[in-house]
Amino acid sequence: MGSLGLAISWGWFLVGLGILILATQLARSQMNIKVAGFSVSFGAVFLIGGLWTVLNLGSWPLAPIVLILLGVVLLGKAVISIRR
């Protein structure tokens, strides 16, 4: 009994996982259930990481770009909450 010949790269796995997590949170928002920001961020990171691998953008550093974007989002949320 060997493998079934089903080979999927880690990139596509991460893309699929990210889409599933984000779709779950979208469904929660459509049903007026509180959306978990932690899950949305993980779904986005999985999706971005998977696309990074699939599109072969390995020459660009992924972690610093994701951390910078996360910092910008957090800074924006802090500024918006201060203005209220």
Coordinates of all heavy atoms in Angstrom, one line a residue:
M1 N 0.8 -1.2 0.0 CA 0.0 0.0 0.0 C 0.9 1.2 0.0 O 1.4 1.6 1.0 CB -0.9 0.0 1.2 CG -1.9 -1.0 1.3 SD -3.4 -0.3 0.9 CE -4.5 -1.6 1.2
G2 N 1.0 1.9 -1.1 CA 1.8 3.1 -1.2 C 0.9 4.3 -1.2 O -0.3 4.2 -0.8
S3 N 1.5 5.4 -1.5 CA 0.7 6.6 -1.6 C -0.3 6.6 -2.8 O -0.1 5.8 -3.7 CB 1.6 7.8 -1.6 OG 2.2 7.9 -2.9
L4 N -1.3 7.4 -2.7 CA -2.3 7.4 -3.8 C -1.8 8.3 -4.9 O -2.6 8.5 -5.9 CB -3.6 8.0 -3.2 CG -4.3 7.1 -2.1 CD1 -5.5 7.8 -1.6 CD2 -4.6 5.7 -2.7
G5 N -0.7 8.9 -4.8 CA -0.2 9.7 -5.9 C -0.7 11.2 -5.8 O -0.5 11.9 -6.7
L6 N -1.3 11.5 -4.7 CA -1.8 12.9 -4.6 C -0.7 13.7 -3.9 O -0.4 13.5 -2.8 CB -3.1 12.8 -3.6 CG -3.7 14.2 -3.4 CD1 -4.3 14.7 -4.7 CD2 -4.8 14.1 -2.4
A7 N -0.2 14.6 -4.7 CA 0.9 15.4 -4.2 C 0.5 16.9 -4.3 O 0.0 17.4 -5.4 CB 2.2 15.2 -5.1
I8 N 0.5 17.6 -3.2 CA 0.1 19.0 -3.2 C 1.3 19.7 -2.4 O 1.8 19.2 -1.4 CB -1.2 19.2 -2.5 CG1 -1.6 20.7 -2.6 CG2 -1.2 18.7 -1.1 CD1 -3.1 20.9 -2.2
S9 N 1.6 20.9 -3.0 CA 2.7 21.6 -2.3 C 2.2 22.3 -1.1 O 1.1 22.5 -0.9 CB 3.3 22.6 -3.3 OG 2.4 23.7 -3.5
W10 N 3.2 22.7 -0.2 CA 2.9 23.4 1.0 C 2.2 24.7 0.7 O 1.4 25.2 1.4 CB 4.1 23.6 1.9 CG 4.4 22.4 2.7 CD1 5.4 21.5 2.5 CD2 3.7 22.0 3.9 NE1 5.3 20.6 3.5 CE2 4.3 20.8 4.4 CE3 2.6 22.5 4.6 CZ2 3.8 20.2 5.5 CZ3 2.1 21.8 5.7 CH2 2.7 20.7 6.1
G11 N 2.6 25.3 -0.4 CA 2.1 26.6 -0.8 C 0.6 26.5 -1.0 O -0.2 27.4 -0.5
W12 N 0.2 25.6 -1.8 CA -1.3 25.4 -2.1 C -2.0 25.0 -0.8 O -3.2 25.4 -0.6 CB -1.5 24.4 -3.2 CG -1.2 25.0 -4.5 CD1 -0.1 24.6 -5.3 CD2 -1.8 26.0 -5.2 NE1 -0.1 25.3 -6.5 CE2 -1.2 26.2 -6.4 CE3 -2.9 26.8 -4.9 CZ2 -1.6 27.2 -7.3 CZ3 -3.3 27.8 -5.8 CH2 -2.6 28.0 -7.0
F13 N -1.4 24.2 0.0 CA -2.1 23.8 1.3 C -2.3 25.1 2.1 O -3.4 25.3 2.7 CB -1.2 22.8 2.1 CG -1.7 22.5 3.4 CD1 -2.8 21.7 3.6 CD2 -1.1 23.1 4.5 CE1 -3.2 21.4 4.9 CE2 -1.5 22.9 5.8 CZ -2.6 22.0 6.0
L14 N -1.3 26.0 2.2 CA -1.5 27.2 3.0 C -2.5 28.1 2.4 O -3.3 28.8 3.1 CB -0.1 27.9 3.2 CG 0.9 27.2 4.0 CD1 2.2 27.9 4.0 CD2 0.4 27.0 5.4
V15 N -2.6 28.2 1.1 CA -3.6 29.0 0.4 C -5.0 28.5 0.7 O -5.9 29.3 1.1 CB -3.4 29.0 -1.1 CG1 -4.6 29.6 -1.9 CG2 -2.1 29.8 -1.5
G16 N -5.2 27.2 0.6 CA -6.4 26.6 0.9 C -6.8 26.8 2.4 O -8.0 27.1 2.7
L17 N -5.9 26.6 3.3 CA -6.1 26.8 4.7 C -6.5 28.3 5.0 O -7.5 28.5 5.7 CB -4.9 26.4 5.5 CG -5.1 26.4 7.0 CD1 -6.2 25.5 7.5 CD2 -3.7 26.1 7.7
G18 N -5.8 29.2 4.4 CA -6.1 30.6 4.6 C -7.5 31.0 4.1 O -8.3 31.7 4.7
I19 N -7.9 30.4 2.9 CA -9.2 30.7 2.4 C -10.3 30.1 3.3 O -11.3 30.7 3.5 CB -9.3 30.1 0.9 CG1 -8.4 31.0 0.0 CG2 -10.7 30.0 0.4 CD1 -8.3 30.4 -1.4
L20 N -10.1 28.9 3.8 CA -11.0 28.3 4.7 C -11.2 29.1 5.9 O -12.4 29.3 6.4 CB -10.6 26.9 5.1 CG -10.8 25.8 4.0 CD1 -10.2 24.5 4.5 CD2 -12.3 25.6 3.7
I21 N -10.2 29.6 6.5 CA -10.3 30.3 7.8 C -11.0 31.7 7.5 O -11.9 32.1 8.2 CB -8.9 30.6 8.4 CG1 -8.3 29.3 8.9 CG2 -8.9 31.6 9.5 CD1 -6.8 29.4 9.3
L22 N -10.6 32.3 6.4 CA -11.3 33.6 6.1 C -12.7 33.4 5.7 O -13.6 34.2 6.0 CB -10.5 34.3 5.0 CG -9.1 34.8 5.4 CD1 -8.3 35.4 4.2 CD2 -9.2 35.8 6.5
A23 N -13.0 32.3 5.0 CA -14.4 32.1 4.6 C -15.3 31.8 5.9 O -16.4 32.2 5.9 CB -14.5 30.9 3.7
T24 N -14.7 31.1 6.9 CA -15.4 30.9 8.1 C -15.7 32.2 8.8 O -16.9 32.4 9.3 CB -14.6 30.0 9.0 OG1 -14.2 28.8 8.4 CG2 -15.3 29.7 10.3
Q25 N -14.8 33.1 8.9 CA -15.0 34.4 9.5 C -16.0 35.2 8.7 O -16.8 36.0 9.3 CB -13.7 35.1 9.7 CG -12.8 34.4 10.7 CD -13.4 34.1 12.0 OE1 -14.0 34.9 12.6 NE2 -13.2 32.8 12.4
L26 N -16.0 35.1 7.4 CA -17.0 35.8 6.6 C -18.4 35.3 6.8 O -19.3 36.1 7.0 CB -16.6 35.7 5.1 CG -17.6 36.3 4.1 CD1 -17.6 37.9 4.3 CD2 -17.2 36.0 2.7
A27 N -18.5 34.0 7.0 CA -19.8 33.4 7.3 C -20.3 33.8 8.7 O -21.5 34.1 8.8 CB -19.7 31.9 7.2
R28 N -19.4 33.9 9.6 CA -19.7 34.4 10.9 C -20.2 35.8 10.9 O -21.2 36.2 11.6 CB -18.5 34.3 11.9 CG -18.1 32.9 12.3 CD -16.9 32.9 13.1 NE -17.0 33.6 14.4 CZ -17.2 33.0 15.5 NH1 -17.2 31.7 15.6 NH2 -17.3 33.7 16.6
S29 N -19.6 36.7 10.1 CA -20.0 38.1 10.0 C -21.4 38.2 9.3 O -22.2 39.0 9.7 CB -19.0 38.9 9.3 OG -19.0 38.6 7.9
Q30 N -21.6 37.3 8.3 CA -22.9 37.3 7.7 C -24.1 36.9 8.6 O -25.2 37.3 8.4 CB -22.9 36.4 6.4 CG -21.9 36.9 5.3 CD -22.3 38.3 4.8 OE1 -23.5 38.5 4.5 NE2 -21.3 39.1 4.6
M31 N -23.7 36.0 9.6 CA -24.8 35.6 10.5 C -24.8 36.4 11.8 O -25.4 36.0 12.8 CB -24.5 34.1 10.9 CG -24.6 33.1 9.8 SD -24.5 31.4 10.2 CE -22.8 31.3 10.7
N32 N -24.2 37.6 11.7 CA -24.1 38.5 12.9 C -23.5 37.9 14.1 O -23.9 38.2 15.2 CB -25.5 39.1 13.1 CG -26.0 40.0 12.0 OD1 -25.2 40.7 11.4 ND2 -27.3 40.0 11.8
I33 N -22.5 37.1 13.9 CA -21.7 36.5 15.0 C -20.4 37.2 15.1 O -19.9 37.6 14.0 CB -21.5 35.0 14.8 CG1 -22.9 34.2 14.7 CG2 -20.7 34.4 15.9 CD1 -22.7 32.8 14.4
K34 N -19.9 37.5 16.2 CA -18.7 38.2 16.4 C -17.5 37.5 15.6 O -17.3 36.4 15.8 CB -18.3 38.4 17.9 CG -17.1 39.2 18.1 CD -16.9 39.4 19.6 CE -15.8 40.3 20.0 NZ -14.8 40.7 19.1
V35 N -16.8 38.3 14.8 CA -15.7 37.8 14.1 C -14.4 37.9 14.9 O -14.2 38.8 15.7 CB -15.5 38.7 12.8 CG1 -14.2 38.3 12.1 CG2 -16.7 38.7 11.9
A36 N -13.7 36.8 14.9 CA -12.5 36.7 15.7 C -11.3 37.3 14.9 O -10.9 36.8 13.9 CB -12.2 35.2 16.0
G37 N -10.8 38.4 15.4 CA -9.7 39.1 14.7 C -8.5 38.3 14.6 O -7.7 38.3 13.7
F38 N -8.2 37.5 15.7 CA -7.1 36.6 15.7 C -7.1 35.6 14.5 O -6.1 35.4 13.8 CB -7.0 35.8 17.0 CG -5.8 35.1 17.3 CD1 -4.6 35.7 17.6 CD2 -5.8 33.7 17.2 CE1 -3.4 35.0 17.8 CE2 -4.7 32.9 17.4 CZ -3.5 33.6 17.7
S39 N -8.3 35.0 14.3 CA -8.5 34.1 13.2 C -8.3 34.7 11.9 O -7.8 34.2 10.9 CB -9.8 33.4 13.3 OG -9.9 32.6 14.4
V40 N -8.9 35.9 11.7 CA -8.7 36.7 10.5 C -7.2 36.9 10.2 O -6.8 36.8 9.0 CB -9.5 38.0 10.5 CG1 -9.2 38.9 9.3 CG2 -11.0 37.7 10.6
S41 N -6.5 37.3 11.2 CA -5.1 37.6 11.0 C -4.3 36.3 10.6 O -3.5 36.4 9.7 CB -4.5 38.3 12.2 OG -4.5 37.5 13.3
F42 N -4.6 35.2 11.3 CA -4.0 34.0 10.9 C -4.4 33.5 9.5 O -3.5 33.0 8.7 CB -4.3 32.9 11.9 CG -3.2 32.7 12.9 CD1 -3.3 33.3 14.2 CD2 -2.0 32.0 12.6 CE1 -2.3 33.2 15.1 CE2 -1.0 31.9 13.6 CZ -1.2 32.4 14.8
G43 N -5.6 33.7 9.1 CA -6.1 33.3 7.8 C -5.3 34.1 6.7 O -4.9 33.6 5.7
A44 N -5.2 35.4 7.0 CA -4.5 36.3 6.1 C -3.0 35.9 6.0 O -2.5 35.9 4.9 CB -4.6 37.7 6.5
V45 N -2.4 35.6 7.1 CA -1.0 35.2 7.1 C -0.8 33.9 6.3 O 0.1 33.8 5.5 CB -0.4 35.1 8.5 CG1 0.9 34.4 8.5 CG2 -0.3 36.5 9.1
F46 N -1.7 32.9 6.5 CA -1.6 31.7 5.8 C -1.8 31.9 4.3 O -1.1 31.3 3.5 CB -2.6 30.6 6.3 CG -2.3 30.0 7.6 CD1 -3.3 29.7 8.5 CD2 -1.0 29.8 8.0 CE1 -3.0 29.1 9.7 CE2 -0.7 29.2 9.2 CZ -1.7 28.9 10.1
L47 N -2.8 32.7 3.9 CA -3.0 33.0 2.5 C -1.9 33.7 1.9 O -1.4 33.3 0.8 CB -4.3 33.8 2.4 CG -4.8 34.2 1.0 CD1 -5.1 32.9 0.3 CD2 -6.0 35.1 1.1
I48 N -1.3 34.7 2.6 CA -0.2 35.5 2.0 C 1.0 34.5 1.9 O 1.7 34.5 0.9 CB 0.1 36.7 2.9 CG1 -1.0 37.7 2.7 CG2 1.5 37.3 2.5 CD1 -0.9 38.8 3.7
G49 N 1.3 33.8 2.9 CA 2.4 32.8 2.9 C 2.3 31.8 1.8 O 3.3 31.5 1.1
G50 N 1.1 31.3 1.6 CA 0.9 30.3 0.6 C 1.1 30.9 -0.8 O 1.7 30.3 -1.7
L51 N 0.5 32.1 -1.0 CA 0.7 32.8 -2.3 C 2.1 33.1 -2.5 O 2.6 33.1 -3.7 CB -0.2 34.0 -2.4 CG -1.7 33.8 -2.5 CD1 -2.5 35.1 -2.4 CD2 -2.0 33.1 -3.8
W52 N 2.8 33.5 -1.5 CA 4.3 33.8 -1.6 C 5.0 32.6 -2.2 O 5.9 32.8 -3.0 CB 4.8 34.2 -0.2 CG 6.0 35.1 -0.2 CD1 7.3 34.8 -0.2 CD2 5.9 36.5 -0.3 NE1 8.1 35.9 -0.3 CE2 7.3 37.0 -0.3 CE3 4.9 37.5 -0.3 CZ2 7.6 38.3 -0.3 CZ3 5.2 38.8 -0.3 CH2 6.6 39.2 -0.3
T53 N 4.7 31.4 -1.7 CA 5.4 30.2 -2.1 C 4.9 29.8 -3.5 O 5.7 29.5 -4.4 CB 5.1 29.1 -1.1 OG1 5.5 29.4 0.2 CG2 5.8 27.8 -1.5
V54 N 3.6 29.9 -3.8 CA 3.1 29.5 -5.1 C 3.6 30.4 -6.2 O 3.9 29.9 -7.3 CB 1.5 29.5 -5.0 CG1 1.0 29.3 -6.4 CG2 1.0 28.3 -4.1
L55 N 3.6 31.7 -5.9 CA 4.0 32.7 -6.9 C 5.6 32.8 -7.0 O 6.1 33.6 -7.8 CB 3.4 34.0 -6.7 CG 1.9 34.1 -6.7 CD1 1.4 35.4 -6.4 CD2 1.4 33.7 -8.1
N56 N 6.3 32.0 -6.2 CA 7.7 32.0 -6.2 C 8.4 33.3 -5.9 O 9.2 33.8 -6.7 CB 8.2 31.3 -7.4 CG 9.6 30.8 -7.3 OD1 10.1 30.7 -6.2 ND2 10.3 30.4 -8.4
L57 N 7.9 34.0 -4.9 CA 8.5 35.3 -4.6 C 9.5 35.2 -3.5 O 9.7 36.1 -2.7 CB 7.3 36.3 -4.1 CG 6.2 36.5 -5.2 CD1 5.1 37.4 -4.5 CD2 6.8 37.2 -6.4
G58 N 10.2 34.1 -3.5 CA 11.2 33.8 -2.4 C 12.3 34.8 -2.4 O 13.0 34.9 -1.3
S59 N 12.6 35.6 -3.4 CA 13.7 36.5 -3.4 C 13.4 37.7 -2.5 O 14.3 38.4 -2.1 CB 14.0 37.0 -4.8 OG 12.9 37.7 -5.3
W60 N 12.1 38.0 -2.2 CA 11.7 39.0 -1.3 C 11.5 38.5 0.1 O 10.9 37.4 0.2 CB 10.4 39.7 -1.8 CG 10.5 40.4 -3.1 CD1 11.4 40.2 -4.1 CD2 9.6 41.5 -3.5 NE1 11.1 41.1 -5.1 CE2 10.0 41.9 -4.7 CE3 8.5 42.1 -2.9 CZ2 9.4 42.9 -5.4 CZ3 7.9 43.1 -3.6 CH2 8.3 43.5 -4.8
P61 N 11.9 39.2 1.1 CA 11.7 38.7 2.5 C 10.3 38.8 2.9 O 9.7 39.9 3.0 CB 12.7 39.5 3.3 CG 12.8 40.8 2.5 CD 12.6 40.4 1.1
L62 N 9.6 37.7 3.2 CA 8.2 37.7 3.6 C 7.9 38.2 5.0 O 7.1 39.1 5.2 CB 7.6 36.3 3.4 CG 6.2 36.1 3.9 CD1 5.2 37.0 3.1 CD2 5.8 34.7 3.8
A63 N 8.7 37.7 6.0 CA 8.4 38.1 7.4 C 8.5 39.6 7.6 O 7.6 40.1 8.3 CB 9.4 37.3 8.3
P64 N 9.5 40.3 7.2 CA 9.5 41.8 7.5 C 8.3 42.5 6.8 O 7.8 43.4 7.4 CB 10.8 42.2 6.9 CG 11.7 41.0 6.8 CD 10.8 39.9 6.6
I65 N 7.9 42.1 5.6 CA 6.8 42.7 4.9 C 5.5 42.5 5.7 O 4.8 43.4 5.9 CB 6.7 42.3 3.5 CG1 7.9 42.7 2.7 CG2 5.4 42.7 2.8 CD1 8.1 42.2 1.3
V66 N 5.3 41.3 6.2 CA 4.1 41.0 6.9 C 4.1 41.7 8.2 O 3.0 42.3 8.7 CB 3.9 39.4 7.1 CG1 2.8 39.1 8.1 CG2 3.7 38.7 5.8
L67 N 5.2 41.8 8.9 CA 5.3 42.5 10.2 C 5.1 44.0 10.0 O 4.4 44.6 10.9 CB 6.6 42.2 10.9 CG 6.8 40.8 11.4 CD1 8.2 40.6 11.9 CD2 5.8 40.4 12.5
I68 N 5.6 44.5 9.0 CA 5.4 46.0 8.7 C 3.9 46.2 8.4 O 3.3 47.2 9.0 CB 6.3 46.5 7.5 CG1 7.7 46.5 8.0 CG2 5.8 47.8 7.0 CD1 8.7 46.7 6.8
L69 N 3.3 45.4 7.6 CA 1.8 45.6 7.4 C 1.0 45.4 8.6 O 0.1 46.2 8.8 CB 1.4 44.6 6.3 CG 1.9 44.8 4.9 CD1 1.5 43.7 3.9 CD2 1.4 46.2 4.4
L70 N 1.4 44.4 9.5 CA 0.6 44.3 10.7 C 0.8 45.5 11.6 O -0.1 45.9 12.2 CB 1.2 43.0 11.4 CG 0.5 42.6 12.7 CD1 -1.0 42.4 12.6 CD2 1.2 41.4 13.3
G71 N 2.0 46.0 11.7 CA 2.3 47.2 12.5 C 1.5 48.4 12.0 O 0.9 49.2 12.8
V72 N 1.4 48.6 10.6 CA 0.6 49.7 10.1 C -0.9 49.5 10.4 O -1.6 50.5 10.8 CB 0.8 49.7 8.5 CG1 -0.2 50.7 7.9 CG2 2.2 50.2 8.2
V73 N -1.4 48.3 10.4 CA -2.8 48.0 10.7 C -3.1 48.3 12.2 O -4.0 49.0 12.6 CB -3.2 46.6 10.4 CG1 -4.6 46.2 11.0 CG2 -3.3 46.4 8.9
L74 N -2.2 47.9 13.1 CA -2.3 48.1 14.5 C -2.2 49.6 14.8 O -3.0 50.1 15.6 CB -1.3 47.3 15.3 CG -1.5 45.8 15.3 CD1 -0.3 45.2 16.0 CD2 -2.8 45.5 16.0
L75 N -1.3 50.3 14.2 CA -1.2 51.7 14.4 C -2.4 52.5 13.9 O -2.9 53.4 14.6 CB 0.1 52.3 13.6 CG 0.4 53.7 13.8 CD1 0.7 54.0 15.2 CD2 1.5 54.1 12.9
G76 N -3.0 52.1 12.8 CA -4.2 52.7 12.2 C -5.4 52.4 13.2 O -6.2 53.4 13.4
K77 N -5.5 51.3 13.8 CA -6.6 51.0 14.7 C -6.4 51.8 16.0 O -7.4 52.3 16.5 CB -6.6 49.5 15.1 CG -7.1 48.6 14.0 CD -7.0 47.1 14.4 CE -8.1 46.8 15.4 NZ -8.2 45.3 15.6
A78 N -5.2 52.0 16.4 CA -4.9 52.9 17.6 C -5.3 54.3 17.3 O -5.9 55.0 18.2 CB -3.5 52.7 18.0
V79 N -4.9 54.8 16.2 CA -5.3 56.2 15.8 C -6.8 56.4 15.7 O -7.3 57.4 16.2 CB -4.5 56.6 14.5 CG1 -5.1 57.9 14.0 CG2 -3.0 56.7 14.7
I80 N -7.4 55.4 15.1 CA -8.9 55.6 15.0 C -9.6 55.5 16.4 O -10.5 56.3 16.6 CB -9.4 54.4 14.1 CG1 -9.0 54.7 12.6 CG2 -11.0 54.3 14.2 CD1 -9.3 53.6 11.7
S81 N -9.1 54.7 17.3 CA -9.7 54.6 18.6 C -9.4 55.8 19.4 O -10.2 56.2 20.3 CB -9.2 53.3 19.3 OG -7.9 53.4 19.7
I82 N -8.3 56.5 19.2 CA -8.0 57.7 19.9 C -8.9 58.9 19.4 O -9.4 59.7 20.2 CB -6.5 58.1 19.7 CG1 -5.6 57.2 20.5 CG2 -6.2 59.6 20.2 CD1 -4.1 57.3 20.2
R83 N -9.2 58.9 18.2 CA -10.1 60.0 17.6 C -11.5 59.9 18.1 O -12.2 60.8 18.0 CB -10.0 59.9 16.1 CG -8.7 60.4 15.5 CD -8.7 60.6 14.1 NE -7.4 61.1 13.6 CZ -7.2 61.3 12.3 NH1 -8.1 61.0 11.4 NH2 -6.0 61.8 12.0
R84 N -11.9 58.7 18.5 CA -13.3 58.6 18.9 C -13.6 59.2 20.2 O -13.3 59.4 21.2 CB -13.7 57.1 19.0 CG -13.8 56.5 17.6 CD -14.4 55.1 17.6 NE -14.4 54.6 16.3 CZ -14.8 53.4 16.0 NH1 -15.0 52.5 16.9 NH2 -14.8 53.0 14.8

